[in-house]
Amino acid sequence: EILYRHARENEGEEGFDKKKTENWADTRMFLEKHCHVQPRMINDALALRARSEGDFVKAKKKYMEGVVKNWPKAHEVLMDDLVPSKFAQGCEKELKKDFEELSNQRIANWRYGGRIILAYFRARESRKSREKEAENRDKKLDEAADWKLEKPELLLQDCLKFMPDTPRLMDGCQSEDRIVQRRFARAKILSELLKNEQCSKVLPTLPYLDELLGYINEHDRIKHLDRLSLRLSQQNEAR
């Protein structure tokens, strides 16, 4: 509580007060050297304040600063606050580096969060590369190499627990806009994953197919159902 009250920085902000910045630097030095407060606790307080004020980028940055970083909380801010807004704005590439850095850390719910986000980036890059290769070599998209994914059925199963509508947020509630953003991001990510050849092949065999497609927006859901119908008919003809 004491740290939270004092955890306010102005450095780097437009029109910041140099005197206040110097005062904060002195305060931080006093807390670390004389009160023996761990730097991570100070960074966590700064992140907590930034998040409460809606500055999610700064909150994520503070959790990832210092010698001892708070990886789980950085992952939480990314998934609950930044992924929905950045995907809605079409700026999701800004988050790729953060998730790559987090991928080497131990995070309890990584399987249902950052892991799926990274799979989205890799699937998207693979598709773009295949489209370019097919265009340059004048061949069908199916003939170009696709990103190899191990156990796609498990990844799709984990997607059922991905970005639920009721995340554990600081204020305990969500605005309607936040819910819409989360659903849009989730639909965009799952739709991209289902364009992957390995994922689309196992799609007909999934017992949770209807639930999975229910997470995708209507336009993309229709396209995936069309592909699914075509694949099933081809399988029946082969028999």
Side-chain angles (χ1 to χ4, degrees), residues 93-155:
K93 284 184 178 180
E94 297 177 10
L95 306 178
K96 183 183 176 185
K97 185 177 179 181
D98 291 326
F99 280 107
E100 287 176 340
E101 187 173 358
L102 287 171
S103 66
N104 298 317
Q105 311 304 322
R106 289 186 177 182
I107 299 171
N109 57 347
W110 176 257
R111 175 177 175 180
Y112 305 113
R115 169 173 167 262
I116 295 174
I117 299 291
L118 278 184
Y120 161 82
F121 283 123
R122 288 165 184 164
R124 188 173 185 275
E125 289 170 357
S126 173
R127 179 176 60 81
K128 294 288 187 181
S129 178
R130 290 171 63 223
E131 289 175 351
K132 186 175 182 180
E133 181 183 351
E135 181 181 347
N136 292 340
R137 299 188 180 183
D138 193 24
K139 61 181 180 180
K140 294 181 180 179
L141 184 62
D142 291 341
E143 297 175 358
D146 199 0
W147 168 54
K148 298 302 179 183
L149 173 64
E150 293 184 7
K151 299 181 179 179
E153 64 278 5
L154 295 182
L155 176 67

Side-chain angles (χ1 to χ4, degrees), residues 29-89:
M29 184 181 296
F30 175 80
L31 289 171
E32 290 183 10
K33 291 191 175 182
H34 300 284
C35 299
H36 304 290
V37 178
Q38 296 179 4
R40 171 170 165 171
M41 292 182 63
I42 298 176
N43 284 338
D44 283 0
L46 290 167
L48 184 64
R49 178 155 196 146
R51 194 178 184 191
S52 70
E53 295 174 346
D55 193 342
F56 305 125
V57 172
K58 183 175 181 178
K60 178 263 301 180
K61 179 181 176 182
K62 289 301 172 185
Y63 280 131
M64 297 175 72
E65 272 186 5
V67 177
V68 182
K69 302 173 176 60
N70 195 335
W71 300 112
K73 294 298 291 185
H75 181 254
E76 181 184 304
V77 172
L78 282 163
M79 293 304 305
D80 285 349
D81 302 318
L82 289 174
V83 166
S85 60
K86 292 297 183 181
F87 271 79
Q89 297 165 10

